[in-house]
Amino acid sequence: MATEDSFDIFGSDPFGRDYLYGLSTGRDRLGLAPVRYLEQGQDISQGTVKRKGYFGEIPTNNDSMMTEYSSAFEVGGKTVSYPLVVPTLTADELNLLRLTGEVTPAIQQKAQQYALGRLARGQDPFATTQELRYPQPDNLNDESLNKKENGLFSYKTTPQQKSLGSTINNYVDYLVQKLNPQMFPTAGKTFIETAQGSRKRITEQNFTSEELEALKNLIESTNNRGDVQYEDYFNLMQKEFKEKGTVPASFSPSILSILDPIGNVETTLGRFRYLRDANGNLTVVDNYDFNQIPTMSGAYGALRNYGTKKIPKGTGREVMINLGNTDPFGNTIGSSIR
């Protein structure tokens, strides 16, 4: 890992850095650390010390605490980690982070500008243990804001809209930006979160246990082909209808698809590839985006057409779903899949 750069004038001289930053000597020093650079492929959390951030611990909606919310960006040809929780964020932006984990372009820009300002002054982008905490905004934990997150519409401010080529697409985008993703089943939630700017990897955590079971059955039905096509969904639905009498909400992708597990899988993943990872786990690999297709009609068509403009191919989210190597009964799933 590099130790010399344009922001660290002392290079490998720890005494000079300690003197400038006011650090104590010895193993108990708690002050400012040198800028943290990441090696290629290194996770942000590797080799770093978790601190309390600029505001101290901020409660989230899943009984955990948010302090720094680390991210990374390129500075001078190197990847630098930096906190998204910075003093220049508004109370609404902090609430959005703690309640949904969503990072808007405005949040990212403010956090990067704050980090660059500290780097220019020879400081670590992260708050140190010797710095005074900023007071948390009075309405950071406002109950009224929390309650709004439980409704159909989100409290957050709608970002500046960019034209998507048609009046219908622009109208759909305005509506989607106002919706609360948490109020929708998996397919709708994923679509809305992505359209609102989320680029967080889609994993098994995004699906219910019933949807993961449907996904496993779908993959089993393809006889180790290595991919799933739309006709595979239809064939599996027909098979289960004949054998179990189960009736899917829709045999083809539609608004009704979000009413059952296999429909949510179909309208979230569509076509995808699967393989075995190095540990033998059955893994779904894909990208959540929308290929350009002929214009479709109806409510589902309007959303699909909007998706091709808002989340075109190459701009969506990575999909990496680990299904493990056994089914709920302890049997190896897809054992012949390599």
Side-chain angles (χ1 to χ4, degrees), residues 207-214:
F207 296 85
T208 66
S209 57
E210 293 81 9
E211 290 161 358
L212 291 174
E213 186 61 26

Side-chain angles (χ1 to χ4, degrees), residues 45-65:
S45 63
Q46 292 176 334
T48 64
V49 178
K50 188 73 173 178
R51 301 174 186 157
K52 300 300 183 183
Y54 292 102
F55 294 102
E57 294 184 335
I58 299 174
T60 67
N61 62 349
N62 61 357
D63 298 324
S64 63
M65 291 293 176

